[in-house]
Amino acid sequence: MRLGINSIIALSNSIQNRPQIDKLQLADNAITDYGMHAIKNIINSSRLTSLNLASNMISGEGLELFLDDLINNTSLKQLDLGVVESSMRKNSLGIQGAVCIAALLIRNQTIQSLAINDNDFGTDGGECIGVALSQNENLRVLKISENDLKSEGAIPIINSSGNLETLNLAKNNLRSDVGKPLERLLKK
């Protein structure tokens, strides 16, 4: 059984009375963009340090609905908007979501771990995220695999990854031209 919109609204209402919850695992449900108002309420009424929304059929438009709440949040350390490996569902943030992620990286200095794998960012999304990553000093883990970044989208991310402890760029159709930027990153 998967949580849908009605279930996430009920959960949102009950969490408002329990702000001590610090980790919320909602991966592989069917929350969709329609449930993002409930997620917004959860973020604003709790002190979550970890939120997993992987594989929930969220689009860039859905992410934009609660972007300001993520930006202004000072307790969230881990955010997963990626995909659960065995799931039939996925999020598909696309370029609109990449712009939202870029804004989050620039304006939120609390998040330390971000999983955004398999979100259809493409080359332009990778470039956008790379530019924003250069302005973030606190992110330590970035999982951005399976986004068809190609080398053109991956190189700006690699060039801005000096503060990261973990960078996952797997399955992004990279060419050998990422070798030099990776070499420079590993020498830091």
Side-chain angles (χ1 to χ4, degrees):
M1 185 166 93
R2 306 280 186 229
L3 296 179
I5 297 163
N6 292 334
S7 298
I8 198 65
I9 290 169
L11 178 65
S12 168
N13 291 336
S14 69
I15 285 181
Q16 289 180 11
N17 300 322
R18 300 184 57 144
Q20 70 274 20
I21 293 174
D22 71 336
K23 293 181 182 175
L24 192 55
Q25 165 61 274
L26 294 172
D28 201 18
N29 284 291
I31 297 172
T32 73
D33 291 353
Y34 296 110
M36 292 305 102
H37 291 292
I39 296 299
K40 178 182 181 106
N41 291 339
I42 290 170
I43 290 170
N44 291 326
S45 64
S46 66
R47 300 281 301 152
L48 289 179
T49 60
S50 178
L51 177 61
N52 188 334
L53 295 172
S55 297
N56 268 293
M57 301 184 294
I58 302 168
S59 72
E61 190 174 303
L63 177 58
E64 196 168 355
L65 291 173
F66 68 105
L67 177 63
D68 286 337
D69 306 284
L70 287 173
I71 288 171
N72 295 321
N73 186 287
T74 57
S75 63
L76 195 63
K77 306 272 188 234
Q78 297 177 319
L79 178 61
D80 190 338
L81 294 167
V83 67
V84 174
E85 196 167 316
S86 61
S87 178
M88 292 175 54
R89 293 172 191 75
K90 67 175 263 180
N91 294 329
S92 186
L93 301 178
I95 188 65
Q96 183 177 3
V99 170
C100 291
I101 294 296
L104 179 65
L105 288 171
I106 291 169
R107 296 176 53 203
N108 179 302
Q109 295 293 315
T110 307
I111 293 178
Q112 297 174 356
S113 176
L114 181 60
I116 47 177
N117 50 309
D118 201 3
N119 266 292
D120 308 318
F121 293 139
T123 300
D124 292 339
E127 290 175 3
C128 183
I129 291 168
V131 169
L133 185 59
S134 69
Q135 299 176 52
N136 185 299
E137 296 179 2
N138 293 318
L139 192 69
R140 296 293 174 252
V141 176
L142 179 59
K143 298 177 182 176
I144 191 166
S145 63
E146 299 184 68
N147 274 292
D148 198 29
L149 300 176
K150 299 187 173 61
S151 294
E152 295 84 1
I155 289 173
I157 293 171
I158 294 166
N159 289 339
S160 300
S161 295
N163 292 325
L164 294 180
E165 296 168 4
T166 302
L167 174 61
N168 184 342
L169 287 166
K171 299 181 183 177
N172 270 304
N173 298 313
L174 305 180
R175 295 184 315 266
S176 61
D177 57 346
V178 301
K180 289 289 183 193
L182 281 173
E183 181 182 14
R184 283 191 300 273
L185 175 63
L186 293 173
K187 287 183 178 180
K188 288 183 181 181

